[in-house]
Amino acid sequence: MRLLGCAVAALATAVPALASSDSFNEVQSKLDLDLRWGTYRPNLYFGTRPRLPASLLSGLIWFGLDDQRGWQHARHSCELGDNLAEYGYSRHNGRDFGEQLLVDGDQQVQIRSEFVKVPGKQGGSWAVRFSGRTLKDNVQGVSLAYYFGLEGNGTMSMKVSSRMARISGETADLGRFRIRIVPAKKNTSPERHPALRNVQGIPDAVRISGVGMSVPTSDVWRAKDLFQEKVFGQARTQASAILKQTDGKGPLTGSVLFQLRNEALSDSGSNLFFAQMIVHGEFAFDVIYECADEDAAIKTRDIAALASSRREDFDRRFEAVFGLHAKGFDADEVEMAQRALSSLIGGLGYFYGSSLVSPDPQPEYGEGE
């Protein structure tokens, strides 16, 4: 009961104080707007969506390139068989901040995500900074992809330069929006094998590339499957060309086979866009979603300061509500408590539709004899 009381107090203090004359509808409208965007895709290692049906989804996909079959085990949804040593939010306030560390030994990469949000019209703007490194045994690097897909009506188009990928779009619920996916200048690509330097048709290593797809709106949630089909089809074509020019000797390296070429970026029917970066060593990239409200604009240089400020606010508020340090708990115990609360809050999702209930339950779901 004591813990329940603390939790209720925490939730109560989370609601902004409003004048007593404000109507319930005004309160509800403000809360709906403040909480429109969030990490409401809890089945993914990282993903965002608004609390709106048939709207804009986003998510992170990655796989290692040392094993040519790594694409078959691309990470996206949280799966027990992925064997990640660590994932889940270490801090999340349920509103405008969340951070986590993903440690993937099988795919030889470590990724940190820092999510921040700025209030504004149409739900405001948000950004996430991904940073990390490939692990020591990795040679060919890792493929990192971030995608945006429209489940409903709207328009989107993408442009890719040597510096970043830009997406612009509009929907009835979100209005006009713009997105930037910006790789850090320090990012490096894996070294190309000397035997491949004179092979024709191999694209030069780039900091970022993009591809667009036109898919049924009911298939946007299958982004990982669609991405896997794309990279495998391209890898098979690339491998055939390499083997033909090298008398079957190759080598067939992952960083060459699985690098996407810019494709279908401005097609009017495209509703799913992927931005891919192939990196080795330390890396970072920012994903910035901005609504049409100029007061809610987010600059790349602002993300670190926003994350740092929100992190300090989270720690201060956590102690103010639960008082674990004051009660004698050590730093490891406080961290465990923060992770437990953050995983709970970060695990909140938004779902819509009809529930399907079988009128004739199977025997295995009944009570045992």
Side-chain angles (χ1 to χ4, degrees), residues 89-167:
Y89 286 100
S90 55
R91 291 179 177 86
H92 201 303
N93 66 9
R95 285 183 169 274
D96 54 17
F97 175 65
E99 66 177 3
Q100 66 174 329
L101 179 65
L102 307 164
V103 181
D104 187 352
D106 290 352
Q107 299 293 337
Q108 290 289 294
V109 67
Q110 175 178 298
I111 305 171
R112 178 179 296 279
S113 71
E114 298 169 291
F115 172 81
V116 296
K117 194 168 66 172
V118 174
K121 299 176 182 177
Q122 302 289 354
S125 303
W126 58 265
V128 56
R129 171 160 292 171
F130 296 101
S131 58
R133 59 182 176 85
T134 53
L135 303 184
K136 63 179 181 179
D137 294 330
N138 181 272
V139 176
Q140 282 296 309
V142 63
S143 166
L144 304 167
Y146 202 88
Y147 69 87
F148 284 86
L150 275 177
E151 280 190 309
N153 295 326
T155 59
M156 283 200 303
S157 63
M158 184 186 224
K159 294 181 179 180
V160 178
S161 69
S162 60
R163 296 177 52 248
M164 70 181 74
R166 296 177 182 268
I167 298 174

Side-chain angles (χ1 to χ4, degrees), residues 34-342:
D34 287 349
L35 298 175
R36 174 167 291 182
W37 273 104
T39 55
Y40 300 134
R41 303 187 72 193
N43 58 313
L44 306 187
Y45 290 114
F46 184 87
T48 68
R49 67 164 301 140
R51 296 196 309 164
L52 297 168
S55 193
L56 184 64
L57 307 182
S58 84
L60 174 70
I61 301 173
W62 77 89
F63 64 92
L65 297 170
D66 280 355
D67 185 347
Q68 292 180 15
R69 296 167 297 178
W71 66 274
Q72 297 177 351
H73 307 288
R75 310 310 199 204
H76 180 237
S77 59
C78 301
E79 305 291 344
L80 186 62
D82 289 347
N83 298 319
L84 265 67
E86 182 177 341
Y87 70 94
Y89 286 100
S90 55
R91 291 179 177 86
H92 201 303
N93 66 9
R95 285 183 169 274
D96 54 17
F97 175 65
E99 66 177 3
Q100 66 174 329
L101 179 65
L102 307 164
V103 181
D104 187 352
D106 290 352
Q107 299 293 337
Q108 290 289 294
V109 67
Q110 175 178 298
I111 305 171
R112 178 179 296 279
S113 71
E114 298 169 291
F115 172 81
V116 296
K117 194 168 66 172
V118 174
K121 299 176 182 177
Q122 302 289 354
S125 303
W126 58 265
V128 56
R129 171 160 292 171
F130 296 101
S131 58
R133 59 182 176 85
T134 53
L135 303 184
K136 63 179 181 179
D137 294 330
N138 181 272
V139 176
Q140 282 296 309
V142 63
S143 166
L144 304 167
Y146 202 88
Y147 69 87
F148 284 86
L150 275 177
E151 280 190 309
N153 295 326
T155 59
M156 283 200 303
S157 63
M158 184 186 224
K159 294 181 179 180
V160 178
S161 69
S162 60
R163 296 177 52 248
M164 70 181 74
R166 296 177 182 268
I167 298 174
S168 58
E170 183 174 5
T171 72
D173 292 325
L174 298 174
R176 293 191 307 275
F177 59 84
R178 54 186 183 269
I179 298 162
R180 286 170 286 148
I181 303 172
V182 188
K185 293 181 180 179
K186 68 178 182 180
N187 290 2
T188 58
S189 301
E191 292 186 8
R192 183 155 297 179
H193 195 283
L196 298 177
R197 290 174 183 167
N198 296 322
V199 175
Q200 300 297 315
I202 296 179
D204 294 332
V206 294
R207 292 175 61 196
I208 188 168
S209 58
V211 64
M213 298 182 188
S214 177
V215 304
T217 55
S218 59
D219 282 351
V220 170
W221 69 273
R222 298 181 54 244
K224 187 190 84 166
D225 299 335
L226 298 169
F227 180 73
Q228 287 174 308
E229 292 171 9
K230 185 66 179 178
V231 296
F232 174 66
Q234 180 175 294
R236 185 168 52 184
T237 301
Q238 190 71 68
S240 177
I242 292 173
L243 293 175
K244 184 176 181 179
Q245 294 184 56
T246 59
D247 296 326
K249 298 177 181 178
L252 301 177
T253 58
S255 59
V256 170
L257 294 180
F258 296 104
Q259 179 180 307
L260 291 178
R261 301 168 186 257
N262 294 335
E263 182 182 327
L265 302 182
S266 57
D267 290 1
S268 59
S270 293
N271 60 343
L272 179 61
F273 290 95
F274 298 88
Q276 184 200 42
M277 290 143 284
I278 290 180
V279 296
H280 185 262
E282 293 188 358
F283 62 84
F285 71 97
D286 298 332
V287 179
I288 303 172
Y289 168 94
E290 292 179 315
C291 63
D293 186 353
E294 295 297 333
D295 292 334
I298 301 176
K299 304 297 183 184
T300 299
R301 62 177 179 269
D302 297 334
I303 297 175
L306 283 170
S308 178
S309 174
R310 307 274 168 80
R311 186 180 300 112
E312 292 175 2
D313 288 345
F314 178 92
D315 290 346
R316 182 167 51 251
R317 188 168 184 181
F318 188 87
E319 178 61 19
V321 172
F322 297 106
L324 299 187
H325 282 297
K327 295 172 184 175
F329 292 96
D330 63 29
D332 289 341
E333 292 169 327
V334 172
E335 180 184 352
M336 181 186 70
Q338 288 182 337
R339 285 178 176 273
L341 178 64
S342 297

Side-chain angles (χ1 to χ4, degrees), residues 26-41:
E26 290 174 331
V27 174
Q28 189 64 47
S29 177
K30 178 174 175 56
L31 287 175
D32 286 347
L33 196 61
D34 287 349
L35 298 175
R36 174 167 291 182
W37 273 104
T39 55
Y40 300 134
R41 303 187 72 193

